[in-house]
Amino acid sequence: MQATDHDASTATDRAAGLVNAAVYGLGRRIATIGIDEAGAWSARPGHVVWIGLLDPDESVLKRLQHEFSLHDLAIEDAGKAHQRPKIEQYGDGLFIVARTAQMAEGRIAFGETHLFVGKGYVVTVRHGASKSYTSVRERCEANPAQLAHGEDFVLYAVLDFIVDNFMDVIAALHDQVEDIEDLVLKRELGPADIERLHWLRRDLLKLRGAVLPLVDVCRWLENTPHLTIDEPMRHLFRDVTDHVRRVQEEIESSREVLAFSFEASLMLGQSQQTEITRKLSSWAAILAVPTAIAGIYGMNFETMPELKWAYGYPMVVASIVTICSVLFWRFKRNRWL
C-alpha cells in the first residue's frame, strides 16, 4: 500500500514538473525518490540529492522550499522565466540563473536554468528552450569517483553542459555566417539576405548577453572562500570559464565577419552604382553630339551657307559619326564602357 501511495505521489510530481529525482551516496545512485523525501536524504552525511524540474508548478517549488529551507526570493525568481543571469548566496545555499540556447528552425531559441545548490542537494529548474539534463546525469553516474564530490561536481557538470550547448549553437551559426560571407563575393545582397544578416547579428548579440555573465559566475565559484566547494573542484570552474571565453571569441569573430560582409556588400553596391553611372554618363556624352548638331540645324536660320552645299549633309553625318566614334574609343579605353 505504501508503494502504491509512493508511485501515485511520484506520478503527481511528474505532472507538476518533476523530471527526475535521485539520491547518491559515494558517487553511486542509491534510489529514485519523491520530493517529500528529499530533505531527509540530503541531511544524511555523504549523500546528495539531485532533482530536475521542467517548468514546475508553484506548489512543487514550495515543497522544495520546505525540504531544503530555500529563501523566499530565490523561490520567487525560480518560478518566473526571463531572469537575468546571476549568482546569489542565501546563507549556505546558492541560487544561480544561467541562460540556455539551442537552434530551432535556423534561429536561436533561448531558455533559462535556475539552480539551487546547497549542502547535500542540487535542484535544476528549466524554463523554455533547453536540452534535457538526462545525458548530464548519465555521464555523472558513469563517473562515480568525480560524482563522489557531491553537489560541487553536479554544479560543474550542469554549467559545463550549458556552455557546451553554446558551442553547438555557435557551430550552427558559423555555417550560416560562412554562407553569407560566400554570398557577398558572388553577388550583391538582396533584401532577404540583408534581413537574414540582421537576424544573425541580433541572435549573436543575444547569445553574447547570455554567455558573458557565466564568466562572473564561474569566477565567483572559483575564488570565493565562503563556499564549501572542495579545493580540487575549483579548477573545474576555471575550465568552464575558459570554455566561455572561447565561446565569446567565436561570437565576436562571427559578428566581425557579418559586419565585414555587410560593409563589403555596401561597397560592392556602390561600386556597381558607380560603374552604371559611368556608363550612363559616357553614353549621354556620346548622344549629346548628334543632339547638339541636330539642334543647331533645326533653328531654321536662312543664312546658313552649308545648307545649299551639295556635300553639306554627308559632311555633317560624317562629323557626327567621327566624333561619336572617338568618344566611344576614349571611354572604352578608360573602361567607362
Side-chain angles (χ1 to χ4, degrees), residues 80-311:
K80 303 175 182 177
H82 308 296
Q83 300 290 326
R84 65 177 183 83
K86 61 182 178 179
I87 180 170
E88 295 177 344
Q89 184 171 5
Y90 297 99
D92 295 331
L94 290 178
F95 176 66
I96 300 171
V97 177
R99 298 293 301 278
T100 57
Q102 63 184 56
M103 296 302 296
E105 300 180 354
R107 294 288 307 279
I108 303 180
F110 291 94
E112 293 177 19
T113 292
H114 301 170
L115 296 102
F116 295 95
V117 184
K119 188 62 178 178
Y121 68 88
V122 175
V123 179
T124 60
V125 183
R126 290 189 291 135
H127 292 282
S130 173
K131 290 186 178 180
S132 171
Y133 294 146
T134 301
S135 60
V136 183
R137 190 182 292 269
E138 292 173 350
R139 190 163 62 246
C140 291
E141 291 176 353
N143 192 354
Q146 293 282 19
L147 187 54
H149 287 281
E151 60 274 4
D152 301 345
F153 184 72
V154 174
L155 174 59
Y156 155 74
V158 172
L159 291 178
D160 188 59
F161 181 75
I162 291 173
V163 176
D164 287 345
N165 284 336
F166 286 146
M167 291 297 294
D168 294 340
V169 170
I170 281 293
L173 288 180
H174 187 68
D175 293 338
Q176 297 188 41
V177 170
E178 285 187 340
D179 290 343
I180 292 289
E181 187 179 20
D182 294 339
L183 192 62
V184 169
L185 301 177
K186 295 178 182 178
R187 61 174 175 82
E188 183 181 359
L189 298 183
D193 302 319
I194 296 296
E195 183 179 1
R196 181 184 175 195
L197 189 151
H198 165 74
W199 285 114
L200 277 173
R201 292 194 66 183
R202 186 173 181 179
D203 283 350
L204 284 169
L205 184 61
K206 289 183 178 179
L207 186 62
R208 181 174 178 269
V211 169
L212 284 184
L214 285 180
V215 174
D216 296 331
V217 171
C218 292
R219 282 180 177 174
W220 202 86
L221 293 170
E222 178 188 348
N223 299 315
T224 300
H226 304 295
L227 298 178
T228 57
I229 293 178
D230 294 341
E231 192 62 31
M233 300 299 297
R234 291 184 180 271
H235 73 278
L236 294 179
F237 296 106
R238 188 183 310 123
D239 180 65
V240 176
T241 301
D242 293 339
H243 290 177
V244 173
R245 289 297 188 191
R246 191 162 73 238
V247 172
Q248 180 187 1
E249 291 173 0
E250 291 292 335
I251 291 174
E252 296 301 335
S253 175
S254 296
R255 293 186 69 216
E256 288 180 4
V257 170
L258 289 176
F260 171 77
S261 298
F262 183 69
E263 293 174 359
S265 176
L266 290 178
M267 293 175 63
L268 288 173
Q270 291 175 355
S271 177
Q272 292 176 356
Q273 290 178 359
T274 301
E275 184 177 355
I276 293 173
T277 301
R278 287 179 176 179
K279 288 182 179 181
L280 292 175
S281 300
S282 301
W283 284 113
I286 292 172
L287 293 175
V289 174
T291 301
I293 293 176
I296 292 174
Y297 286 97
M299 291 187 294
N300 296 323
F301 289 114
E302 294 183 359
T303 55
M304 298 179 72
E306 65 272 21
L307 291 179
K308 296 182 180 180
W309 183 35
Y311 300 102

